[in-house]
mmCIF file of all heavy atoms in Angstrom:
data_model
loop_
_atom_site.group_PDB
_atom_site.id
_atom_site.type_symbol
_atom_site.label_atom_id
_atom_site.label_comp_id
_atom_site.label_asym_id
_atom_site.label_seq_id
_atom_site.Cartn_x
_atom_site.Cartn_y
_atom_site.Cartn_z
ATOM 1 N N PRO A 29 -8.005 5.350 2.133
ATOM 2 C CA PRO A 29 -7.807 3.955 2.033
ATOM 3 C C PRO A 29 -7.629 3.590 0.552
ATOM 4 O O PRO A 29 -8.210 4.212 -0.284
ATOM 5 C CB PRO A 29 -9.037 3.311 2.605
ATOM 6 C CG PRO A 29 -9.909 4.384 3.035
ATOM 7 C CD PRO A 29 -9.262 5.688 2.700
ATOM 8 N N ILE A 30 -6.896 2.618 0.242
ATOM 9 C CA ILE A 30 -6.566 2.152 -1.102
ATOM 10 C C ILE A 30 -7.369 0.950 -1.481
ATOM 11 O O ILE A 30 -7.436 -0.034 -0.688
ATOM 12 C CB ILE A 30 -5.116 1.908 -1.345
ATOM 13 C CG1 ILE A 30 -4.411 3.253 -1.099
ATOM 14 C CG2 ILE A 30 -4.821 1.289 -2.711
ATOM 15 C CD1 ILE A 30 -2.849 3.134 -1.101
ATOM 16 N N LEU A 31 -8.011 0.917 -2.656
ATOM 17 C CA LEU A 31 -8.582 -0.248 -3.286
ATOM 18 C C LEU A 31 -7.857 -0.566 -4.561
ATOM 19 O O LEU A 31 -7.787 0.364 -5.435
ATOM 20 C CB LEU A 31 -10.075 -0.075 -3.502
ATOM 21 C CG LEU A 31 -10.959 -0.130 -2.261
ATOM 22 C CD1 LEU A 31 -12.424 0.068 -2.649
ATOM 23 C CD2 LEU A 31 -10.786 -1.390 -1.497
ATOM 24 N N ARG A 32 -7.289 -1.674 -4.679
ATOM 25 C CA ARG A 32 -6.535 -2.086 -5.846
ATOM 26 C C ARG A 32 -7.293 -3.014 -6.731
ATOM 27 O O ARG A 32 -7.903 -3.976 -6.248
ATOM 28 C CB ARG A 32 -5.133 -2.661 -5.473
ATOM 29 C CG ARG A 32 -4.279 -2.878 -6.675
ATOM 30 C CD ARG A 32 -2.884 -3.230 -6.305
ATOM 31 N NE ARG A 32 -2.273 -2.053 -5.761
ATOM 32 C CZ ARG A 32 -1.057 -2.015 -5.269
ATOM 33 N NH1 ARG A 32 -0.294 -3.138 -5.245
ATOM 34 N NH2 ARG A 32 -0.494 -0.920 -4.773
ATOM 35 N N LEU A 33 -7.336 -2.707 -8.051
ATOM 36 C CA LEU A 33 -8.085 -3.586 -9.005
ATOM 37 C C LEU A 33 -7.202 -4.867 -9.290
ATOM 38 O O LEU A 33 -6.026 -4.837 -9.201
ATOM 39 C CB LEU A 33 -8.351 -2.873 -10.233
ATOM 40 C CG LEU A 33 -9.293 -1.639 -10.154
ATOM 41 C CD1 LEU A 33 -9.395 -0.901 -11.457
ATOM 42 C CD2 LEU A 33 -10.610 -2.026 -9.706
ATOM 43 N N ARG A 34 -7.889 -5.870 -9.689
ATOM 44 C CA ARG A 34 -7.274 -7.107 -10.194
ATOM 45 C C ARG A 34 -6.670 -6.790 -11.552
ATOM 46 O O ARG A 34 -6.990 -5.813 -12.188
ATOM 47 C CB ARG A 34 -8.312 -8.238 -10.293
ATOM 48 C CG ARG A 34 -8.836 -8.623 -8.960
ATOM 49 C CD ARG A 34 -9.831 -9.673 -8.986
ATOM 50 N NE ARG A 34 -9.915 -10.366 -10.312
ATOM 51 C CZ ARG A 34 -10.844 -11.152 -10.706
ATOM 52 N NH1 ARG A 34 -11.973 -11.299 -9.945
ATOM 53 N NH2 ARG A 34 -10.880 -11.704 -11.860
ATOM 54 N N ALA A 35 -5.761 -7.635 -11.992
ATOM 55 C CA ALA A 35 -5.091 -7.439 -13.308
ATOM 56 C C ALA A 35 -6.132 -7.279 -14.434
ATOM 57 O O ALA A 35 -7.056 -8.051 -14.480
ATOM 58 C CB ALA A 35 -4.165 -8.624 -13.553
ATOM 59 N N LYS A 36 -5.888 -6.319 -15.261
ATOM 60 C CA LYS A 36 -6.683 -6.027 -16.488
ATOM 61 C C LYS A 36 -8.115 -5.552 -16.149
ATOM 62 O O LYS A 36 -8.903 -5.417 -17.087
ATOM 63 C CB LYS A 36 -6.704 -7.257 -17.386
ATOM 64 C CG LYS A 36 -5.332 -7.646 -17.878
ATOM 65 C CD LYS A 36 -5.443 -8.824 -18.868
ATOM 66 C CE LYS A 36 -4.028 -9.192 -19.291
ATOM 67 N NZ LYS A 36 -4.030 -10.368 -20.092
ATOM 68 N N GLU A 37 -8.416 -5.272 -14.894
ATOM 69 C CA GLU A 37 -9.776 -4.786 -14.583
ATOM 70 C C GLU A 37 -9.920 -3.299 -14.630
ATOM 71 O O GLU A 37 -10.934 -2.703 -14.374
ATOM 72 C CB GLU A 37 -10.225 -5.263 -13.209
ATOM 73 C CG GLU A 37 -10.312 -6.792 -13.112
ATOM 74 C CD GLU A 37 -11.489 -7.345 -13.920
ATOM 75 O OE1 GLU A 37 -12.293 -6.606 -14.436
ATOM 76 O OE2 GLU A 37 -11.573 -8.543 -13.927
ATOM 77 N N ASP A 38 -8.855 -2.645 -15.025
ATOM 78 C CA ASP A 38 -8.836 -1.135 -15.158
ATOM 79 C C ASP A 38 -9.274 -0.646 -16.520
ATOM 80 O O ASP A 38 -9.587 0.529 -16.672
ATOM 81 C CB ASP A 38 -7.428 -0.551 -14.840
ATOM 82 C CG ASP A 38 -6.402 -1.052 -15.843
ATOM 83 O OD1 ASP A 38 -6.389 -2.288 -16.085
ATOM 84 O OD2 ASP A 38 -5.637 -0.232 -16.256
ATOM 85 N N ARG A 39 -9.479 -1.590 -17.491
ATOM 86 C CA ARG A 39 -9.841 -1.116 -18.851
ATOM 87 C C ARG A 39 -11.107 -0.365 -18.913
ATOM 88 O O ARG A 39 -11.174 0.624 -19.640
ATOM 89 C CB ARG A 39 -9.900 -2.373 -19.730
ATOM 90 C CG ARG A 39 -8.503 -2.996 -19.963
ATOM 91 C CD ARG A 39 -8.585 -4.186 -20.857
ATOM 92 N NE ARG A 39 -9.171 -5.255 -20.011
ATOM 93 C CZ ARG A 39 -9.384 -6.521 -20.473
ATOM 94 N NH1 ARG A 39 -9.009 -6.832 -21.717
ATOM 95 N NH2 ARG A 39 -9.853 -7.410 -19.716
ATOM 96 N N ARG A 40 -12.118 -0.817 -18.242
ATOM 97 C CA ARG A 40 -13.435 -0.125 -18.253
ATOM 98 C C ARG A 40 -13.307 1.326 -17.711
ATOM 99 O O ARG A 40 -13.823 2.291 -18.284
ATOM 100 C CB ARG A 40 -14.507 -0.858 -17.539
ATOM 101 C CG ARG A 40 -14.937 -2.075 -18.360
ATOM 102 C CD ARG A 40 -16.163 -2.853 -17.641
ATOM 103 N NE ARG A 40 -16.146 -2.856 -16.244
ATOM 104 C CZ ARG A 40 -16.925 -2.006 -15.501
ATOM 105 N NH1 ARG A 40 -17.693 -1.190 -16.073
ATOM 106 N NH2 ARG A 40 -16.828 -2.079 -14.154
ATOM 107 N N LEU A 41 -12.573 1.479 -16.618
ATOM 108 C CA LEU A 41 -12.423 2.825 -16.038
ATOM 109 C C LEU A 41 -11.678 3.741 -16.963
ATOM 110 O O LEU A 41 -12.041 4.887 -17.183
ATOM 111 C CB LEU A 41 -11.588 2.699 -14.722
ATOM 112 C CG LEU A 41 -12.448 2.330 -13.482
ATOM 113 C CD1 LEU A 41 -11.568 2.270 -12.213
ATOM 114 C CD2 LEU A 41 -13.591 3.280 -13.284
ATOM 115 N N ARG A 42 -10.606 3.232 -17.545
ATOM 116 C CA ARG A 42 -9.845 4.024 -18.495
ATOM 117 C C ARG A 42 -10.614 4.412 -19.725
ATOM 118 O O ARG A 42 -10.350 5.442 -20.338
ATOM 119 C CB ARG A 42 -8.541 3.319 -18.839
ATOM 120 C CG ARG A 42 -7.565 3.122 -17.684
ATOM 121 C CD ARG A 42 -6.319 2.521 -18.112
ATOM 122 N NE ARG A 42 -5.464 2.129 -17.006
ATOM 123 C CZ ARG A 42 -4.661 2.978 -16.332
ATOM 124 N NH1 ARG A 42 -4.585 4.191 -16.694
ATOM 125 N NH2 ARG A 42 -3.914 2.497 -15.314
ATOM 126 N N ALA A 43 -11.644 3.578 -20.042
ATOM 127 C CA ALA A 43 -12.484 3.914 -21.208
ATOM 128 C C ALA A 43 -13.645 4.845 -20.851
ATOM 129 O O ALA A 43 -14.388 5.209 -21.724
ATOM 130 C CB ALA A 43 -13.075 2.575 -21.784
ATOM 131 N N GLY A 44 -13.788 5.182 -19.524
ATOM 132 C CA GLY A 44 -14.767 6.225 -19.176
ATOM 133 C C GLY A 44 -15.831 5.675 -18.299
ATOM 134 O O GLY A 44 -16.741 6.423 -17.967
ATOM 135 N N HIS A 45 -15.892 4.355 -18.001
ATOM 136 C CA HIS A 45 -16.944 3.798 -17.169
ATOM 137 C C HIS A 45 -16.856 4.467 -15.746
ATOM 138 O O HIS A 45 -15.783 4.748 -15.248
ATOM 139 C CB HIS A 45 -16.818 2.325 -17.036
ATOM 140 C CG HIS A 45 -18.097 1.611 -16.620
ATOM 141 N ND1 HIS A 45 -18.406 1.374 -15.336
ATOM 142 C CD2 HIS A 45 -19.089 1.183 -17.396
ATOM 143 C CE1 HIS A 45 -19.594 0.807 -15.270
ATOM 144 N NE2 HIS A 45 -20.075 0.688 -16.511
ATOM 145 N N LEU A 46 -17.977 4.709 -15.134
ATOM 146 C CA LEU A 46 -18.027 5.469 -13.839
ATOM 147 C C LEU A 46 -17.924 4.722 -12.580
ATOM 148 O O LEU A 46 -17.765 5.261 -11.531
ATOM 149 C CB LEU A 46 -19.256 6.354 -13.851
ATOM 150 C CG LEU A 46 -19.369 7.365 -14.975
ATOM 151 C CD1 LEU A 46 -20.679 8.164 -14.882
ATOM 152 C CD2 LEU A 46 -18.195 8.319 -14.985
ATOM 153 N N TRP A 47 -18.053 3.336 -12.654
ATOM 154 C CA TRP A 47 -18.025 2.655 -11.398
ATOM 155 C C TRP A 47 -17.190 1.328 -11.534
ATOM 156 O O TRP A 47 -17.012 0.839 -12.669
ATOM 157 C CB TRP A 47 -19.287 2.396 -10.694
ATOM 158 C CG TRP A 47 -20.397 1.939 -11.618
ATOM 159 C CD1 TRP A 47 -20.650 0.693 -12.031
ATOM 160 C CD2 TRP A 47 -21.418 2.715 -12.124
ATOM 161 N NE1 TRP A 47 -21.727 0.652 -12.840
ATOM 162 C CE2 TRP A 47 -22.282 1.917 -12.936
ATOM 163 C CE3 TRP A 47 -21.751 4.076 -12.084
ATOM 164 C CZ2 TRP A 47 -23.343 2.412 -13.566
ATOM 165 C CZ3 TRP A 47 -22.818 4.545 -12.728
ATOM 166 C CH2 TRP A 47 -23.652 3.697 -13.462
ATOM 167 N N VAL A 48 -16.885 0.773 -10.408
ATOM 168 C CA VAL A 48 -16.109 -0.514 -10.309
ATOM 169 C C VAL A 48 -16.968 -1.484 -9.591
ATOM 170 O O VAL A 48 -17.564 -1.158 -8.495
ATOM 171 C CB VAL A 48 -14.770 -0.310 -9.534
ATOM 172 C CG1 VAL A 48 -14.064 -1.670 -9.284
ATOM 173 C CG2 VAL A 48 -13.927 0.687 -10.269
ATOM 174 N N TYR A 49 -17.000 -2.718 -10.011
ATOM 175 C CA TYR A 49 -17.812 -3.753 -9.376
ATOM 176 C C TYR A 49 -16.860 -4.509 -8.375
ATOM 177 O O TYR A 49 -15.705 -4.574 -8.603
ATOM 178 C CB TYR A 49 -18.414 -4.742 -10.420
ATOM 179 C CG TYR A 49 -19.418 -4.027 -11.252
ATOM 180 C CD1 TYR A 49 -19.107 -3.610 -12.565
ATOM 181 C CD2 TYR A 49 -20.671 -3.734 -10.807
ATOM 182 C CE1 TYR A 49 -19.984 -2.968 -13.356
ATOM 183 C CE2 TYR A 49 -21.617 -3.057 -11.624
ATOM 184 C CZ TYR A 49 -21.273 -2.652 -12.856
ATOM 185 O OH TYR A 49 -22.143 -2.021 -13.656
ATOM 186 N N SER A 50 -17.478 -5.068 -7.339
ATOM 187 C CA SER A 50 -16.691 -5.675 -6.280
ATOM 188 C C SER A 50 -15.844 -6.880 -6.821
ATOM 189 O O SER A 50 -14.738 -7.144 -6.283
ATOM 190 C CB SER A 50 -17.581 -6.208 -5.170
ATOM 191 O OG SER A 50 -18.514 -7.151 -5.654
ATOM 192 N N ASN A 51 -16.298 -7.580 -7.868
ATOM 193 C CA ASN A 51 -15.480 -8.660 -8.391
ATOM 194 C C ASN A 51 -14.244 -8.206 -9.102
ATOM 195 O O ASN A 51 -13.417 -9.000 -9.481
ATOM 196 C CB ASN A 51 -16.319 -9.546 -9.237
ATOM 197 C CG ASN A 51 -16.772 -8.898 -10.512
ATOM 198 O OD1 ASN A 51 -17.228 -7.731 -10.485
ATOM 199 N ND2 ASN A 51 -16.727 -9.563 -11.686
ATOM 200 N N GLU A 52 -14.110 -6.917 -9.355
ATOM 201 C CA GLU A 52 -12.956 -6.315 -9.990
ATOM 202 C C GLU A 52 -11.821 -5.866 -8.953
ATOM 203 O O GLU A 52 -10.734 -5.655 -9.477
ATOM 204 C CB GLU A 52 -13.338 -5.161 -10.858
ATOM 205 C CG GLU A 52 -14.278 -5.482 -11.947
ATOM 206 C CD GLU A 52 -14.860 -4.327 -12.693
ATOM 207 O OE1 GLU A 52 -15.080 -3.225 -12.008
ATOM 208 O OE2 GLU A 52 -15.174 -4.442 -13.847
ATOM 209 N N ILE A 53 -12.143 -5.891 -7.751
ATOM 210 C CA ILE A 53 -11.241 -5.534 -6.723
ATOM 211 C C ILE A 53 -10.387 -6.693 -6.251
ATOM 212 O O ILE A 53 -10.883 -7.799 -6.069
ATOM 213 C CB ILE A 53 -11.961 -4.981 -5.438
ATOM 214 C CG1 ILE A 53 -12.907 -3.823 -5.804
ATOM 215 C CG2 ILE A 53 -11.034 -4.631 -4.337
ATOM 216 C CD1 ILE A 53 -12.225 -2.600 -6.151
ATOM 217 N N ASP A 54 -9.060 -6.398 -6.101
ATOM 218 C CA ASP A 54 -8.187 -7.468 -5.606
ATOM 219 C C ASP A 54 -8.367 -7.521 -4.038
ATOM 220 O O ASP A 54 -7.647 -6.795 -3.338
ATOM 221 C CB ASP A 54 -6.760 -7.168 -5.964
ATOM 222 C CG ASP A 54 -5.795 -8.298 -5.577
ATOM 223 O OD1 ASP A 54 -6.120 -9.159 -4.744
ATOM 224 O OD2 ASP A 54 -4.667 -8.268 -6.169
ATOM 225 N N VAL A 55 -9.264 -8.342 -3.578
ATOM 226 C CA VAL A 55 -9.604 -8.329 -2.171
ATOM 227 C C VAL A 55 -8.523 -9.012 -1.289
ATOM 228 O O VAL A 55 -8.531 -8.929 -0.125
ATOM 229 C CB VAL A 55 -10.980 -8.960 -1.830
ATOM 230 C CG1 VAL A 55 -12.039 -8.046 -2.451
ATOM 231 C CG2 VAL A 55 -11.132 -10.341 -2.424
#
Side-chain angles (χ1 to χ4, degrees):
I30 295 171
L31 287 178
R32 186 167 289 178
L33 295 175
R34 294 176 17 195
K36 299 182 182 178
E37 295 292 354
D38 60 315
R39 291 179 286 183
R40 287 184 325 98
L41 279 180
R42 293 183 190 278
H45 201 269
L46 298 177
W47 46 80
V48 174
Y49 296 102
S50 61
N51 65 316
E52 298 170 328
I53 304 290
D54 185 342
V55 294

